[in-house]
């Protein structure tokens, strides 16, 4: 029968066609890449040339110094853009404020590209991806005759507009590729026909030589070969198979069942079952049999078997069993020892496993430093960490005892030298009793007669010593027992060291995380706050929260989540929390604060990419920032990729705040939106991270509905293992609201949504709103006349007397006199004065101006300049915050005694 050959010619055909295709693809890719590179370079040159030409155009500097640069330059910029064919020509201030733009709505906004080098007189050319696709923009500084940068000119163009080389050349390349492929196919067909003719078959001489060679090999090998056909008859048996099985001379052609083989072996040869190195007995021989059917891949029916004489293994059967038991012991040890990352537990698992398998009693002694996750100290005393045995009354040192082994004991020798020691006969008192002679006599009297001490050594460091004691078996420990004990302890030592390292890293991570999260909430009266923070089952994460008092009795609530777990996430969380505190001190609105956080995350990404040599960003975060004002009961908030907060109304109704969703922090360049709404007094604002509502087996929408139900149910069961909880320190009750307080709400929510330890970090804040009573608010409008200052001081003194704060009238009048006078002299009206009686006495003076006063030290000859210095001396804090209508200068004074607005 002729065998259908899958020829080499076919492989050659496929190979040649593949090479041609690869060459064509490489040419196309090279052309496209070169075209894109040329297009990008042309775009860079054109945008830079347009920007530089326009920046040096006559009259540009005069227009920039003019009163209305937009009116003077908008037309010129648009004319230059149309003439040059670029997408935009933008003139801006040195700080990046646009004076011209193709879209007039963008005039007055900040330029989105990189301008820092241009602010210092250098040209910037960068590639970016805009709404029109990949683009190039150039920023050129505009300087006056003194070299001072008075403005910036930016020009940009999309790469697509300057390059179409690929579109013109692709048809030519494709045509060449088709022609090359056709030529390759024709050539390969000729080669294939030639190869098929040359390799069609072998001549008789070659077949004879091949048969003789195969026959010589078959009968020369020291391995028996049997071939059985589909009818169970022996087709072929080589010389070695005849010798091993004692086959008769006429065995070939007879049925296997008639050859006198062992029934099990005969059944295997006709079964068609595949097996490898199966042991069979043939007389006094032990044979290793491998058997395979021959019809699996289109061959004839039957099977082939190979036989190897393994009689010598019978002599080693006892050693094999012993080695097998030993391997099983070590395998089971690897499964049962080191199941957790706890040092003491791993030592206990080692002791418990070794009892009855290696010894009757096992003790494990570790350095105290190891138990605490640190590197062991040199020649330190060891603490007994685990004791296990067949009886509980053995006279060994008890659990927890600190033992300083002397060098003459096996334990001391092992600990000092890092090698195992064996004491085969304890009754001989060969020096091991010097640790405690009385205890040694008790041990021998108890029946313990032999001991092995093995150091727990991992990564070149000795962590402690494991001791094995024998009492019930009369034979002493031998070298085989010592070897098994060493291997067992070596595996356990690695697990103990891993647990030690985990303990150290976990302690460091937890310490870092606790130091970064708030420990005590600050004093404030606007909100009654309770919180919970639950870490994940393993490691630390990047969830955080904060409560930040702001000027004017306002309070900021923050909750955020850094992507990932571990020290990197915790450290990034700490940086974000610090940044939020710093930005809050500047009294930024929520959307502006999130924009600054977005820039911070982008900078962290760049720093990480530079350190790791990769351009891939590794950091991301979400955040929600809310500001509550107890005077107006208005709440302003914005979010960056975070889940919306829940609002619980005083009547128990629950809704999720319809808050615009901004992008997560770190994407860069996208704006954030702010929402402002009024909160009734006694309503609760609930902020949380996704670990509360999102689980692997639960959709986030289902989690949000569970959260809504737990907040709406007034009698929900309060059960949750919380890590931290606190009311706002010192916050006294006003009118007692109906329903659960924030503390009970936290317990109910966690009890409903997190019955077990969470797989992700969970941060939860429940803040019940308060309102500053109207009788604790006083405000006046002041005319822009210095004569009004005296009347204002009198009115303020009367108000303070009515509040029982008459002793603050002098200092308050002094502070307000300076602030009102500054507003009259240096700002525009209207001027308003407001007093708030909260935890401090807050004085606010607002005007329509945008400049804020600065503290300075007046010289002895100066007639003025000391007012703000006096304000800073009498006020506990003072500062400026900006509003859409102007600014507010505020100052806080501590109240006498313990008085405050809710006392």
């Amino acid at each position: 029968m002729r065998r259908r050959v899958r020829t080499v010619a076919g492989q050659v055909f496929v190979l040649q066609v593949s090479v041609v295709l690869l060459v064509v693809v490489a040419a196309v890719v090279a052309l496209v890449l070169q075209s894109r590179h040329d297009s990008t370079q042309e775009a860079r040159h054109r945008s830079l040339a347009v920007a530089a030409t326009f920046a040096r155009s006559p009259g540009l500097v005069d227009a920039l110094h003019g009163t209305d640069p937009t009116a003077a330059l908008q037309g010129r910029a648009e004319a230059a853009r149309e003439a040059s064919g670029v997408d935009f020509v933008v003139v801006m201030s040195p700080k990046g404020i646009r004076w011209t733009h193709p879209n007039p709505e963008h005039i007055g906004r900040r330029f989105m590209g990189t301008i820092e080098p241009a602010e210092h007189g250098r040209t910037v050319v960068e590639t970016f991806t805009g709404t029109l696709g990949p683009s190039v923009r150039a920023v050129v500084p505009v300087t006056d005759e003194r070299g001072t940068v008075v403005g910036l000119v930016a020009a940009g163009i999309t790469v697509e507009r300057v390059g179409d080389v690929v579109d013109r050349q692709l048809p030519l390349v494709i045509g060449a590729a088709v022609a090359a492929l056709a030529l390759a196919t024709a050539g390969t067909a000729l080669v294939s026909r030639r190869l098929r003719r040359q390799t069609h078959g072998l001549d008789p001489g070659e077949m004879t030589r091949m048969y003789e060679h195969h026959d010589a090999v078959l009968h020369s090998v020291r391995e028996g070969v049997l071939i059985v056909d589909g009818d169970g008859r022996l087709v072929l048996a080589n010389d070695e198979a005849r010798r091993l099985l004692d086959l008769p001379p006429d065995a070939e052609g007879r049925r296997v069942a008639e050859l006198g083989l062992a029934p099990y072996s005969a059944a295997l040869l006709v079964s068609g079952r595949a097996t490898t190195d199966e042991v069979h007995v043939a007389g006094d021989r032990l044979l290793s049999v491998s058997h395979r059917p021959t019809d699996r891949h289109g061959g004839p029916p039957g099977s082939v078997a190979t036989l190897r004489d393994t009689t010598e293994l019978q002599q080693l059967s006892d050693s094999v069993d012993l080695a097998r038991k030993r391997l099983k012991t070590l395998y089971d040890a690897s499964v049962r020892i080191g199941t957790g990352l706890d040092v003491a537990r791993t030592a206990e698992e080692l002791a418990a496993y070794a009892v009855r398998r290696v010894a009757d009693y096992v003790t494990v002694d570790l350095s105290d430093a190891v138990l605490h996750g640190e590197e062991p100290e040199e020649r330190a005393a060891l603490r007994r960490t685990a004791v296990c045995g067949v009886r509980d009354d053995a006279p060994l040192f008890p659990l927890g005892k600190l033992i300083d082994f002397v060098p003459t004991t096996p334990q001391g020798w092992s600990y000092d030298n890092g090698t195992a020691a064996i004491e085969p006969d304890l009754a001989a008192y060969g020096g091991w009793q010097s640790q405690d002679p009385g205890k040694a006599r008790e041990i021998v009297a108890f029946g313990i007669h032999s001991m092995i001490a093995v150091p727990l050594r991992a990564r070149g460091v000795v962590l402690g010593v494991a001791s094995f004691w024998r009492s019930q078996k009369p034979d002493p420990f031998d070298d085989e027992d010592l070897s098994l004990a060493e291997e067992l302890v070596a595996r356990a030592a690695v697990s103990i060291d891993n647990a030690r390292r985990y303990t150290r890293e976990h302690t460091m991570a937890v310490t870092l995380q606790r130091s970064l999260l708030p420990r005590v909430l600050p004093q404030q009266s606007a909100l009654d706050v309770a919180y919970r923070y639950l870490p994940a089952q393993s490691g630390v994460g990047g969830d955080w929260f904060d409560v930040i008092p702001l000027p004017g009795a306002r309070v900021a609530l923050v909750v955020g989540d850094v992507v990932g777990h571990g020290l990197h996430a915790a450290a990034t969380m700490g940086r974000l929390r610090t940044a939020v505190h710093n930005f809050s001190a500047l009294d930024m609105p929520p959307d502006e604060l999130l924009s600054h956080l977005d820039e911070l995350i982008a900078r962290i990404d760049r720093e990480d990419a530079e350190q790791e040599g990769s351009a891939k960003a590794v950091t991301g975060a979400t955040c929600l920032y809310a500001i509550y004002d107890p005077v107006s009961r208005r709440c302003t908030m914005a979010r960056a990729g975070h889940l919306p907060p829940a609002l619980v109304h005083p009547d128990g109704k629950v809704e999720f705040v319809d808050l615009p969703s901004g992008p997560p922090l770190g994407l860069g360049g996208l704006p954030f939106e702010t929402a402002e709404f009024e909160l009734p007094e006694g309503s609760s604002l609930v902020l949380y991270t996704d670990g509360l509502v999102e689980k692997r087996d639960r959709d986030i929408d289902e989690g949000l509905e569970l959260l809504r139900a737990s907040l709406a149910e007034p009698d929900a069961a309060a059960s949750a293992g919380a890590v931290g909880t606190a009311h706002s320190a010192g916050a006294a009750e006003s009118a007692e609201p109906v329903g659960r307080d924030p503390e009970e709400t936290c317990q109910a929510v966690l009890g409903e949504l997190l019955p077990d330890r969470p797989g992700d970090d969970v941060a939860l804040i429940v803040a019940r709103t308060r309102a500053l009573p109207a009788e604790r608010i006083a405000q006046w409008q002041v005319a822009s006349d210095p004569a009004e200052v005296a009347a204002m001081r009198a009115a303020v003194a009367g108000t303070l007397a009515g509040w029982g704060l008459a002793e603050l009238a002098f200092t308050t009048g002094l502070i307000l006199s300076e602030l009102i006078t500054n507003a009259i002299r240096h700002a525009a009206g209207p001027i308003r004065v407001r007093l708030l009686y909260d935890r401090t006495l807050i004085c606010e003076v607002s005007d329509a101006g945008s400049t804020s006063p600065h503290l300075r030290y007046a010289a002895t000859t100066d007639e003025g300049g000391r007012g703000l210095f006096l304000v800073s001396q009498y006020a506990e804090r003072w500062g400026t915050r900006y509003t859409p209508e102007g600014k507010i200068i505020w100052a806080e004074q501590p109240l006498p005694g313990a008085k405050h607005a809710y006392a």
Side-chain angles (χ1 to χ4, degrees):
M1 182 179 70
R2 296 178 58 186
R3 183 170 60 93
R4 184 174 179 271
V5 181
R6 303 185 70 172
T7 64
V8 177
Q11 299 178 8
V12 172
F13 176 82
V14 174
L15 179 62
Q16 289 190 355
V17 172
S18 300
V19 170
V20 172
L21 287 177
L22 287 175
V23 172
V24 171
V25 171
V28 173
V29 171
L31 177 62
V32 172
L33 292 178
Q34 183 62 36
S35 175
R36 290 183 178 177
H37 177 267
D38 294 343
S39 300
T40 303
Q41 291 299 112
E42 175 63 21
R44 292 173 67 91
H45 295 329
R46 185 181 298 185
S47 61
L48 179 59
V50 173
T53 302
F54 195 87
R56 293 170 177 79
S57 62
L60 179 60
V61 175
D62 295 336
L64 293 175
H65 285 303
T67 58
D68 192 354
T70 299
L73 298 176
Q74 175 70 7
R76 290 175 58 184
E78 287 301 289
R81 178 181 66 82
E82 295 177 357
S84 61
V86 296
D87 292 326
F88 65 85
V89 176
V90 176
V91 182
M92 67 193 89
S93 70
K95 297 301 181 181
I97 304 303
R98 298 188 183 101
W99 282 332
T100 71
H101 196 276
N103 186 354
E105 294 181 357
H106 292 175
I107 296 177
R109 298 183 180 178
R110 186 173 179 85
F111 186 66
M112 301 303 294
T114 302
I115 64 172
E116 285 82 3
E119 293 176 356
H120 297 87
R122 298 193 298 275
T123 299
V124 180
V125 181
E126 60 180 348
T127 303
F128 68 101
T129 301
T131 57
L132 300 178
S135 306
V136 176
R137 60 188 172 211
V139 182
V140 178
V142 180
T143 58
D144 57 13
E145 63 275 3
R146 294 176 298 178
T148 303
V149 177
V150 297
L152 306 175
V153 175
I157 187 171
T158 57
V159 176
E160 183 180 359
R161 297 186 62 176
V162 297
D164 58 355
V165 177
V166 176
D167 295 337
R168 296 196 302 271
Q169 295 185 2
L170 275 181
L172 178 61
V173 173
I174 293 174
V178 172
L181 185 59
L183 290 175
T185 303
T188 303
L190 294 176
V191 173
S192 298
R193 291 183 60 187
R194 183 73 175 269
L195 288 176
R196 280 197 296 270
R197 287 197 302 269
Q198 292 180 351
T199 61
H200 184 71
L202 299 174
D203 58 45
E206 290 175 333
M207 295 181 63
T208 300
R209 286 194 300 272
M210 181 177 292
Y211 173 79
E212 292 174 349
H213 175 73
H214 288 176
D215 189 65
V217 171
L218 180 66
H219 293 287
S220 298
V221 296
R222 299 299 296 172
E223 186 171 285
V225 178
L226 297 175
I227 299 178
V228 180
D229 63 14
D231 296 331
R233 296 180 181 275
L234 182 63
V235 176
L236 174 67
N238 69 347
D239 295 343
E240 182 66 10
R242 293 175 179 275
R243 184 184 69 84
L244 294 176
L245 297 177
D246 293 328
L247 296 178
D250 59 345
E252 294 180 353
R254 297 172 59 181
R255 292 186 177 276
V256 173
E258 302 172 356
L259 299 178
L261 303 179
Y264 184 74
S265 300
L268 173 64
L269 294 176
V270 297
S271 66
R273 176 170 60 90
T275 184
T276 302
D277 292 336
E278 190 173 290
V279 178
H280 289 249
V281 177
D284 57 352
R285 295 186 178 93
L286 196 64
L287 303 180
S288 175
V289 180
S290 296
H291 184 255
R292 293 289 186 277
T294 58
D295 57 354
R296 288 189 173 180
H297 303 289
S303 63
V304 59
T306 59
L307 314 172
R308 285 184 293 111
D309 189 358
T310 58
T311 306
E312 64 275 9
L313 293 179
Q314 194 170 11
Q315 302 172 358
L316 302 174
S317 59
D318 293 340
S319 300
V320 170
D321 291 341
L322 181 61
R324 185 179 302 169
K325 291 179 180 177
R326 178 170 179 167
L327 289 176
K328 187 177 186 307
T329 299
L330 295 176
Y331 173 78
D332 292 342
S334 65
V335 175
R336 300 187 186 183
I337 299 176
T339 59
L341 290 173
D342 183 83
V343 174
R345 179 181 174 183
T346 304
E348 292 169 358
E349 289 172 345
L350 167 62
Y353 182 80
V355 169
R356 298 188 186 278
R357 291 179 174 86
V358 181
D360 299 315
Y361 299 92
V362 180
T363 59
V364 180
D365 307 303
L366 298 175
S367 170
D368 275 342
V370 174
L371 293 172
H372 293 92
E374 303 297 332
E375 292 282 348
E377 301 175 0
E378 186 175 356
R379 201 61 184 90
L382 303 181
R383 189 172 299 279
R384 180 134 297 178
T385 309
V387 178
C388 191
V390 294
R391 292 173 55 180
D392 297 332
D393 56 346
L396 302 173
F397 287 122
L399 189 68
K401 181 176 178 57
L402 191 64
I403 310 170
D404 188 6
F405 288 106
V406 298
T408 57
T409 62
Q411 292 89 342
W413 168 265
S414 297
Y415 187 53
D416 292 339
N417 297 278
T419 57
I422 185 170
E423 192 75 29
D425 188 6
L426 296 180
Y429 295 108
W432 70 274
Q433 78 284 358
S434 57
Q435 179 72 40
D436 188 337
K439 179 68 69 175
R441 287 190 292 271
E442 292 179 14
I443 290 174
V444 173
F446 184 76
I448 297 176
H449 58 81
S450 187
M451 176 184 63
I452 293 176
V454 183
L456 286 153
R457 187 183 184 91
R459 299 179 178 92
V461 177
V462 179
L463 310 175
V465 177
S467 301
F468 301 84
W469 314 78
R470 176 171 287 179
S471 63
Q472 294 186 346
K473 187 177 180 179
D475 297 331
F477 285 121
D478 55 19
D479 291 340
E480 187 67 27
D481 297 321
L482 177 62
S483 176
L484 177 59
E486 285 180 321
E487 291 194 36
L488 190 62
V489 171
R491 299 192 179 206
V494 174
S495 298
I496 290 176
D497 190 59
N498 290 338
R500 177 189 67 82
R501 290 169 176 262
Y502 173 80
T503 300
R504 180 186 61 188
E505 294 178 2
H506 183 70
T507 301
M508 292 172 55
V510 170
T511 301
L512 172 63
Q513 186 183 40
R514 288 179 178 175
S515 66
L516 296 177
L517 289 172
R519 299 182 181 179
V520 179
L521 296 184
Q523 295 185 355
Q524 48 82 28
S525 301
L527 298 169
D528 184 12
V529 180
Y531 74 90
R532 293 288 191 279
Y533 180 83
L534 279 75
Q537 291 182 356
S538 61
V540 295
D543 290 17
W544 94 94
F545 64 93
D546 226 325
V547 179
I548 306 173
L550 299 177
R554 298 168 304 141
V555 176
L557 296 175
V558 192
V559 66
D561 184 4
V562 176
V563 174
H565 291 82
L567 290 177
H568 183 270
T572 303
M573 175 267 288
R575 296 174 69 177
L576 286 177
R577 181 168 178 256
T578 301
V580 170
H581 273 268
N582 293 335
F583 294 146
S584 298
L586 300 177
D587 217 337
M588 294 182 176
D591 56 342
E592 185 176 345
L593 184 142
L594 292 180
S595 297
H596 285 286
L597 291 182
D598 185 53
E599 295 176 1
L600 174 62
I601 288 292
R603 185 164 63 252
I604 292 174
D605 283 347
R606 289 195 297 270
E607 292 173 357
D608 292 343
E610 291 174 359
Q611 292 178 359
E612 299 177 6
S614 171
K616 182 180 179 181
V618 296
T619 305
T622 65
C623 183
L624 189 149
Y625 186 83
I627 299 176
Y628 174 69
D629 187 351
V631 178
S632 62
R633 293 186 287 107
R634 304 288 296 178
C635 182
T636 306
M637 63 176 63
R639 61 176 173 143
H642 205 81
L643 294 171
L647 178 61
V648 184
H649 291 270
D651 60 359
K653 178 185 176 183
V654 180
E655 63 175 323
F656 290 99
V657 179
D658 186 12
L659 184 62
S661 177
L665 300 177
L667 297 183
L670 298 177
F672 299 95
E673 298 184 47
T674 299
E676 183 176 358
F677 46 90
E678 184 174 331
L679 295 180
E681 183 177 7
S683 58
S684 294
L685 198 60
V686 182
L687 283 64
Y688 52 92
T689 56
D690 57 359
L692 180 67
V693 295
E694 189 174 17
K695 294 175 62 178
R696 293 182 179 179
D697 57 348
R698 184 177 67 197
D699 187 75
I700 190 170
D701 292 334
E702 181 183 353
L704 291 175
E705 288 304 316
L706 289 175
L707 175 60
R708 183 198 300 271
S710 63
L711 291 173
E713 186 178 355
D715 297 324
S719 61
V723 171
T725 178
H727 289 285
S728 299
E733 297 290 340
S734 55
E736 184 68 23
V738 178
R740 296 176 303 203
D741 60 19
E743 174 69 22
E744 295 170 340
T745 302
C746 282
Q747 293 178 349
V749 169
L750 293 186
E752 180 69 23
L753 273 72
L754 296 176
D756 302 321
R757 292 190 64 189
D760 191 9
D761 290 11
V762 174
L764 172 66
I765 300 179
V766 179
R768 176 175 289 176
T769 61
R770 299 173 179 270
L772 191 65
E775 60 271 15
R776 300 297 185 176
I777 305 171
Q779 50 189 352
W780 301 268
Q781 185 162 340
V782 183
S784 297
D785 184 358
E788 294 291 325
V789 176
M792 192 70 251
R793 284 200 303 266
V796 168
T799 299
L800 294 179
W803 287 347
L805 303 176
E807 54 191 296
L808 296 179
F810 175 75
T811 57
T812 304
L814 185 64
I815 292 173
L816 287 177
S817 296
E818 173 59 27
L819 299 182
I820 296 172
T821 302
N822 281 342
I824 294 174
R825 290 181 178 178
H826 305 293
I831 301 173
R832 294 184 177 85
V833 175
R834 186 170 73 168
L835 291 182
L836 302 177
Y837 177 13
D838 191 45
R839 294 191 167 277
T840 59
L841 180 62
I842 304 171
C843 307
E844 297 180 346
V845 177
S846 61
D847 56 59
S850 59
T851 59
S852 61
H854 298 282
L855 180 65
R856 67 184 181 89
Y857 291 94
T860 55
T861 57
D862 291 345
E863 296 182 358
R866 299 176 178 82
L868 286 181
F869 178 76
L870 293 176
V871 171
S872 67
Q873 296 301 307
Y874 284 109
E876 186 177 49
R877 296 192 309 156
W878 74 281
T880 305
R881 76 173 185 266
Y882 292 93
T883 64
E885 296 80 17
K887 68 175 182 298
I888 297 175
I889 311 296
W890 55 269
E892 293 184 5
Q893 300 177 76
L895 300 180
K899 295 181 179 180
H900 57 82
Y902 299 142

